[in-house]
Amino acid sequence: MTGTESACRRVLVTGAAGFIGYHLARRLLHEGLEVFGFDNFNDFYPVRLKRDRHAQLEPQAGYRWLGAELADRSALAEVFRSFEPDCVVHLAAQANVRHSLVDPYTFQRSNIEGFLNVLECCRHAARRPRLLYASSSSVYGARAQQPFSEAQRTDTPISLYAATKRANELMAHAYSQLYGIQAIGVRLFTVYGPWGRPDMAYWLFAEALRQGRPITLFNRGEMRRDFTYVDDAVEGLFRCVRAGGLGRYEIFNLGSGRAEPLTALVALLARELGVAQPALELRPLPDGDVEETCASIDRLRAAVGYEPVTTLDTGVPRFAAWFKEYQGL
Ligand SMILES: NC(=O)c1ccc[n+]([C@@H]2O[C@H](COP(=O)([O-])OP(=O)(O)OC[C@H]3O[C@@H](n4cnc5c(N)ncnc54)[C@H](O)[C@@H]3O)[C@@H](O)[C@H]2O)c1
């Protein structure tokens, strides 16, 4: 350990069967840290994928886990009591902007009540852990300037998902002030890669290409996203777990720092999946969605030396290769 690193050895990862949680848990174990995974294995997308990810973590030395619900306060408190984490990486949440228009109460339960339970467990822990938690680029709403910087206002969310993530940042601020909990919020920007999420655009596009169906492109194809390859996201999170010298309350963007057109994603996926001329179905921008996201990553770079290395034309072939193998193509 260098003088600029924290002494963190035991990490509680909530959402460990999820896309980012699985990759982060693997990395932490690889680095020799002890990891406790917590996940309710809900069926928002196929549970088999969560089980398949998690099956790779279960046999690893240094890994323990519990299948339980964040809203179950006593189960969560017992994990804190028995494992005594010195860092909590809280990734379990109900994600997906559009789904928050359909099923708002799940967002209230997982993202508000669940987050409060995590805060309360941190507050009452014998040794207060560092809390690192996933926020989202969606907190910037539709009116922010590109690139999004942490100094911009974030009080005009346009989806309930975004509102719950912004609420998490505010709740974390209150708890850091009241109880001295070190709370680091990381605003993630469209993370993609192997073992990814079936509800996200890159997977939906790949699935449409595989089945020979048209790809639905919103805002008539005029959309740009800051796509973050999962290894870069994990590197940023890992650096936040280990870094010394962070403040008691921090907010960081974690993205690639580049906005890419969705049409570029489609072209790369089509090439990798062997579709010469993908059919497109152009639709208007749905409620809750924004035309463009692009992260300013200067703060995270300055704080922990974060530097994304994987561009879309490297990352998409890696996702596509995994997708084909997982689907048995
Ligand atoms: N993937 C992205 O592009 C992205 C972008 C911005 C923010 N985020 C945030 O990052 C975090 C991780 O995202 P992900 O892409 O890995 O999502 P994911 O859905 O794959 O992982 C979340 C995991 O949490 C679990 N979970 C959900 N609610 C729970 C509850 N109430 N109790 C216990 N477990 C619960 C789920 O079963 C799932 O395995 C989330 O907080 C998400 O909002 C992700």
Side-chain angles (χ1 to χ4, degrees):
M1 191 175 86
T2 72
T4 55
E5 287 180 348
S6 79
C8 176
R9 301 298 314 161
R10 302 153 73 80
V11 186
L12 169 59
V13 178
T14 72
F19 169 39
I20 302 171
Y22 152 74
H23 281 281
L24 179 69
R26 266 181 58 163
R27 171 71 186 274
L28 294 168
L29 290 165
H30 181 75
E31 299 283 347
L33 278 70
E34 282 181 63
V35 176
F36 197 107
F38 187 98
D39 202 297
N40 69 359
F41 296 86
N42 70 53
D43 63 358
F44 170 60
Y45 60 74
V47 178
R48 188 191 135 210
L49 177 60
K50 296 181 181 182
R51 297 269 173 219
D52 286 347
R53 293 183 188 123
H54 198 254
Q56 298 168 63
L57 300 176
E58 282 170 45
Q60 295 200 39
Y63 187 69
R64 281 186 272 167
W65 65 283
L66 180 69
E69 162 59 50
L70 285 174
D72 182 346
R73 283 160 63 181
S74 55
L76 194 60
E78 178 54 26
V79 171
F80 272 73
R81 198 198 56 71
S82 61
F83 183 63
E84 295 187 326
D86 38 40
C87 182
V88 176
V89 186
H90 177 52
L91 299 169
Q94 182 58 53
N96 192 309
V97 163
R98 277 168 227 144
H99 191 62
S100 70
L101 280 66
V102 178
D103 188 10
Y105 288 98
T106 310
F107 288 74
Q108 184 270 333
R109 186 173 150 93
S110 291
N111 301 8
I112 302 297
E113 188 182 339
F115 192 76
L116 179 60
N117 289 346
V118 171
L119 287 173
E120 277 290 300
C121 285
C122 290
R123 169 188 175 185
H124 292 293
R127 267 188 317 118
R128 287 197 184 126
R130 168 179 292 183
L131 172 63
L132 189 64
Y133 63 96
S135 183
S136 155
S137 59
S138 64
V139 301
Y140 289 105
R143 283 197 253 138
Q145 306 268 313
Q146 305 290 344
F148 299 163
S149 78
E150 297 88 341
Q152 291 185 40
R153 288 179 65 170
T154 46
D155 52 3
T156 55
I158 59 165
S159 68
L160 182 70
Y161 171 66
T164 64
K165 289 293 180 179
R166 181 64 185 132
N168 289 171
E169 296 178 356
L170 299 173
M171 292 160 78
H173 187 265
Y175 270 64
S176 76
Q177 293 294 306
L178 285 167
Y179 309 116
I181 295 165
Q182 188 184 32
I184 319 287
V186 177
R187 293 176 178 165
L188 293 156
F189 283 65
T190 317
V191 185
Y192 74 101
W195 298 99
R197 264 183 35 210
D199 60 305
M200 292 187 70
Y202 58 92
W203 186 302
L204 296 171
F205 294 175
E207 193 58 38
L209 288 165
R210 179 172 88 89
Q211 295 179 9
R213 287 187 286 109
I215 289 176
T216 304
L217 276 183
F218 292 114
N219 205 33
R220 311 203 173 281
E222 295 293 313
M223 302 255 285
R224 293 166 73 84
R225 284 286 175 275
D226 186 320
F227 291 106
T228 315
Y229 189 66
V230 66
D231 290 357
D232 286 333
V234 164
E235 180 65 30
L237 291 170
F238 179 69
R239 283 171 180 259
C240 289
V241 168
R242 295 303 298 269
L246 298 179
R248 187 192 290 176
Y249 180 80
E250 303 272 13
I251 296 284
F252 294 117
N253 287 341
L254 203 179
S256 73
R258 299 155 60 115
E260 304 275 6
L262 248 67
T263 47
L265 171 69
V266 172
L268 284 166
L269 280 170
R271 188 189 73 194
E272 295 301 314
L273 296 172
V275 178
Q277 205 75 54
L280 303 179
E281 186 188 355
L282 302 180
R283 296 235 191 116
L285 191 67
D287 286 342
D289 235 327
V290 300
E291 284 175 32
E292 180 171 344
T293 64
C294 183
S296 158
I297 52 175
D298 294 346
R299 281 205 82 222
L300 193 58
R301 185 183 276 131
V304 302
Y306 167 71
E307 206 61 67
V309 294
T310 309
T311 55
L312 203 61
D313 49 3
T314 308
V316 170
R318 287 188 198 158
F319 164 72
W322 171 82
F323 180 82
K324 284 192 278 192
E325 192 190 332
Y326 190 68
Q327 307 279 0
L329 302 179

